[in-house]
Amino acid sequence: MKPYSFFLLAGLLLKGVSGHAEFDPDRLSLSTVRVQIKNDGAVVAVATGFVWKQPSQIVTSLHVMHSSPSSQIIIEFGKKRRKATIKALLIEADLVLLEVKRPIEEWVPLLDFDGQKPPYKTWVTALGYHRGALGMSTRELVKGYAKPEVLLQLLPSQAVEILRKTNMPSVTLPIYYLDGSLLPGYSGSPIVNPEGQLIGIGDGGLENGAANVSWVIPARYLTQLEQSPLSQLPVNMRQNTALFSLDRIEPNRRERDHVTSSFYDYLDAISLDPRDVFMASAYAETATLLPLFVFKQVDYQQFRFIKVKTRRFADMIASSGTPKQLTHVLTIFERFFPGVKIAYNEQRFDVYTDAHYGLNIVVPTGVDLVTNDAGFLLAQGQGFCRTCAYEIQYHARLLSDKSQAFIAKNPDAFLHRVADQHWDELNQEGDYDEYSDLRQIEKSGSYRYVLRALFSDFAEPFKDKFELNYYSAAISRNAWFQAQGILSPFDTAFMDRVQAHPALDCRNDESLTAEQISLCSDVLMIFNVLTSTHLTSFSNRIFNN
């Protein structure tokens, strides 16, 4: 039986951040609201906002607005709702100032901001409503490093082309770069420093393959927003809609979510700890239009993974700024099944993100990401188990100061050492070879890297069952995270079936025999495990546009 991981470390809580004053999330919650955009009676976008200077004023992200004249802006605060209208726009900074005629009595406006750029590695906090969650929660993030620190650095080239035409926001806009990731729904959220001072507004919602793209709009743009004479939505706004996909609700995913007493069971199921400092009390008696999106959170050691999206492989290729890196997995697949045709574009995957590290991990749709009773993080579902032919295992390790210093000087050497160590550990159980031409290192910027390597014991003598092992290792700051896809359907019978059908076309079941359908099922499972492991990545990649 295979071990779940090669190291077992006790889970560690993230350290709090001290400052001149204690940040009070309860107080900030009195300034924070959920923003919903409705059109034709259904929610089409969700975001966060905050009350600014006057109880009647709400600030949020411009990109969540809808261009239809009949659309409605709904502000939610606990059980209470208010309609809002647009008061002012700052298009180049993606900001909108809303006005509410009857402010809610409990609202406490934010009155000022800190206009100084936070130093590198400063901890900052976002308070917002993740899409699908019933209450607001904090996310602890770290100010990253990018030079120049402008939006252009974060965007895939196809997004840059669209935004250059719409200027919403401007691709030359100075921003604050996050070494982490905002969750869908956090656009418009207040971002505060350790002293609780407003330093920016959360923004993003773009996609880059399995990863997300988010940033912080500096709070100093609020002054320009207040002074802006514009109040009409730009005519080219629809061109941006497809880009900011994570804050929008797809038409076929709208459904009324009736919140009942089971909400309290839901709260019990969420094990809050210092990583999620505050969750405001939600409204259990209301029934509100929310996206058909089940909130799922999985805790593992110092990581908190939250499901953020489900996408086809074709969708991820289309949104990626580095599609060749995504399709590298096809090169691996074709190495073993050169004549087999599968509908790889239609395969669907669930993406989970740890906001603090901006780390994304992926499992095939229909397979659960779980932490089991022994504390191991793994994929669990039909065909996935310790004794099954398919496994995806994960492991995290904190890095020593010495390792961090070495990585800063020579990250490639460190990652190659990690891969070689994994290879050595495999060889403690068998005789594994590496496909060295398939080893690659992906650089995400801000000292974040992902290595991928492939191993097998196919050449080991006196065996009738073999294993293919696809390995990825991601490093960021003080953490090292690894995923391995373990594939062991390669027994003699499977090899014989593959050789008997060298040009199998799995894209149309109607023309296949029962044996061929069974083989196609295994081949698709192999592709999905390889792809899930391959898509381990970091959000907010830095591009050289």
Side-chain angles (χ1 to χ4, degrees):
M1 295 176 67
K2 308 180 191 71
Y4 275 117
S5 61
F6 309 119
F7 303 90
L8 177 61
L9 299 178
L12 298 176
L13 298 178
L14 296 178
K15 296 180 179 179
V17 181
S18 61
H20 298 296
E22 186 74 19
F23 163 52
D24 183 359
D26 277 306
R27 181 172 179 80
L28 184 59
S29 73
L30 299 176
S31 309
T32 306
V33 300
R34 188 203 297 270
V35 180
Q36 292 192 3
I37 310 302
K38 288 186 178 181
N39 190 46
D40 294 332
V43 175
V44 295
V46 291
T48 302
F50 58 90
V51 187
W52 176 242
K53 284 196 174 179
Q54 301 174 26
S56 60
Q57 294 188 151
I58 305 290
V59 171
T60 191
S61 296
L62 175 59
H63 71 256
V64 300
M65 299 293 111
H66 195 279
S67 58
S68 171
S70 61
S71 63
Q72 295 179 315
I73 306 168
I74 308 297
I75 307 300
E76 291 190 348
F77 184 79
K79 301 177 184 179
K80 300 176 181 179
R81 299 181 188 176
R82 295 289 188 268
K83 288 186 178 181
T85 56
I86 295 175
K87 184 176 182 179
L89 311 173
L90 188 62
I91 296 174
E92 62 271 24
D94 194 30
L95 292 176
V96 58
L97 184 64
L98 305 175
E99 187 171 38
V100 174
K101 295 298 184 184
R102 293 186 305 112
I104 293 173
E105 186 176 339
E106 294 88 346
W107 281 347
V108 177
L110 298 179
L111 300 176
D112 53 19
F113 59 83
D114 182 357
Q116 297 297 314
K117 178 191 290 190
Y120 172 56
K121 290 188 176 182
T122 297
W123 285 59
V124 298
T125 300
L127 180 60
Y129 291 88
H130 170 51
R131 185 181 62 179
L134 299 175
M136 67 180 82
S137 59
T138 55
R139 288 292 174 262
E140 306 299 331
L141 305 164
V142 175
K143 171 68 173 62
Y145 177 81
K147 188 176 182 179
E149 198 166 7
V150 295
L151 189 53
L152 183 66
Q153 287 273 69
L154 299 183
L155 300 177
S157 58
Q158 62 269 34
V160 171
E161 292 179 11
I162 294 174
L163 292 183
R164 283 193 190 279
K165 297 175 182 177
T166 64
N167 202 43
M168 188 181 75
S170 168
V171 296
T172 59
L173 181 78
I175 52 131
Y176 297 156
Y177 174 71
L178 290 175
D179 188 0
S181 177
L182 293 171
L183 296 171
Y186 274 64
S187 289
S189 61
I191 311 292
V192 299
N193 62 18
E195 290 74 40
Q197 298 171 299
L198 181 71
I199 58 101
I201 303 95
D203 204 23
L206 283 79
E207 300 186 48
N208 174 33
N212 308 323
V213 185
S214 59
W215 57 90
V216 176
I217 303 292
R220 65 178 180 271
Y221 289 106
L222 290 171
T223 302
Q224 297 179 42
L225 174 64
E226 293 176 281
Q227 297 171 352
S228 172
L230 300 178
S231 60
Q232 296 295 317
L233 292 175
V235 294
N236 58 1
M237 185 160 181
R238 287 189 179 183
Q239 297 181 42
N240 282 37
T241 299
L243 282 182
F244 292 89
S245 54
L246 288 176
D247 290 329
R248 299 211 165 263
I249 310 304
E250 299 173 19
N252 62 348
R253 294 190 180 184
R254 300 175 196 153
E255 183 171 284
R256 184 169 293 276
D257 182 12
H258 294 282
V259 183
T260 65
S261 59
S262 63
F263 168 71
Y264 297 104
D265 297 330
Y266 163 83
L267 284 183
D268 290 339
I270 299 176
S271 53
L272 297 181
D273 63 29
R275 287 170 287 174
D276 198 0
V277 179
F278 171 76
M279 176 170 282
S281 58
Y283 33 94
E285 293 81 6
T286 60
T288 182
L289 278 170
L290 291 174
L292 182 58
F293 189 91
V294 178
F295 178 84
K296 183 166 184 184
Q297 173 180 298
V298 182
D299 290 343
Y300 173 67
Q301 296 191 21
Q302 72 268 34
F303 294 89
R304 168 157 289 171
F305 290 104
I306 293 177
K307 182 180 174 182
V308 296
K309 60 185 177 182
T310 298
R311 292 291 184 268
R312 298 180 309 149
F313 188 56
D315 298 328
M316 290 189 276
I317 293 174
S319 69
S320 175
T322 55
K324 287 185 179 180
Q325 288 186 340
L326 263 67
T327 56
H328 178 72
V329 72
L330 298 177
T331 302
I332 296 173
F333 177 81
E334 291 167 0
R335 176 72 61 91
F336 302 98
F337 305 101
V340 177
K341 296 180 175 61
I342 60 172
Y344 62 85
N345 276 332
E346 300 304 315
Q347 301 308 301
R348 299 177 70 86
F349 300 90
D350 294 341
V351 180
Y352 291 77
T353 296
D354 174 87
H356 178 70
Y357 286 97
L359 177 66
N360 309 293
I361 60 176
V362 176
V363 297
T365 297
V367 175
D368 290 327
L369 181 68
V370 301
T371 304
N372 68 6
D373 293 339
F376 297 112
L377 182 66
L378 46 89
Q380 186 176 84
Q382 186 175 3
F384 285 80
C385 66
R386 287 190 67 184
T387 57
C388 296
Y390 306 101
E391 298 179 69
I392 305 177
Q393 303 176 1
Y394 306 92
H395 163 71
R397 181 180 182 183
L398 292 178
L399 295 168
S400 66
D401 292 342
K402 183 178 179 180
S403 293
Q404 292 179 58
F406 182 81
I407 291 170
K409 294 180 180 179
N410 199 334
D412 287 14
F414 178 85
L415 283 167
H416 285 306
R417 181 186 300 176
V418 166
D420 291 342
Q421 179 182 347
H422 179 73
W423 189 5
D424 289 342
E425 288 166 344
L426 288 174
N427 281 323
Q428 292 176 14
E429 297 182 355
D431 186 5
Y432 285 77
D433 294 317
E434 182 185 1
Y435 301 85
S436 56
D437 60 312
L438 298 176
R439 185 184 286 199
Q440 63 172 202
I441 294 177
E442 179 180 344
K443 300 178 181 181
S444 299
S446 196
Y447 308 104
R448 299 172 303 161
Y449 306 86
V450 179
L451 173 139
R452 301 178 181 93
L454 183 68
F455 309 88
S456 81
D457 60 356
F458 287 178
E460 185 173 347
F462 312 114
K463 289 185 68 171
D464 56 10
K465 188 172 184 179
F466 303 93
E467 177 185 296
L468 191 64
N469 187 288
Y470 193 33
Y471 175 80
S472 65
I475 54 174
S476 175
R477 297 199 301 271
N478 66 335
W480 158 21
F481 185 91
Q482 72 176 30
Q484 58 172 327
I486 302 171
L487 302 126
S488 53
F490 300 96
D491 56 18
T492 302
F494 180 82
M495 300 290 200
D496 289 343
R497 285 191 295 158
V498 172
Q499 291 181 0
H501 306 285
L504 184 61
D505 189 343
C506 296
R507 295 172 296 183
N508 185 2
D509 285 354
E510 295 179 0
S511 62
L512 302 178
T513 66
E515 177 182 318
Q516 290 173 329
I517 290 174
S518 175
L519 178 57
C520 285
S521 177
D522 281 326
V523 169
L524 277 173
M525 186 77 88
I526 290 169
F527 173 80
N528 286 339
V529 172
L530 289 172
T531 303
S532 295
T533 308
H534 184 80
L535 291 174
T536 303
S537 61
F538 288 105
S539 291
N540 296 343
R541 178 189 178 119
I542 295 177
F543 293 92
N544 293 318
N545 289 318

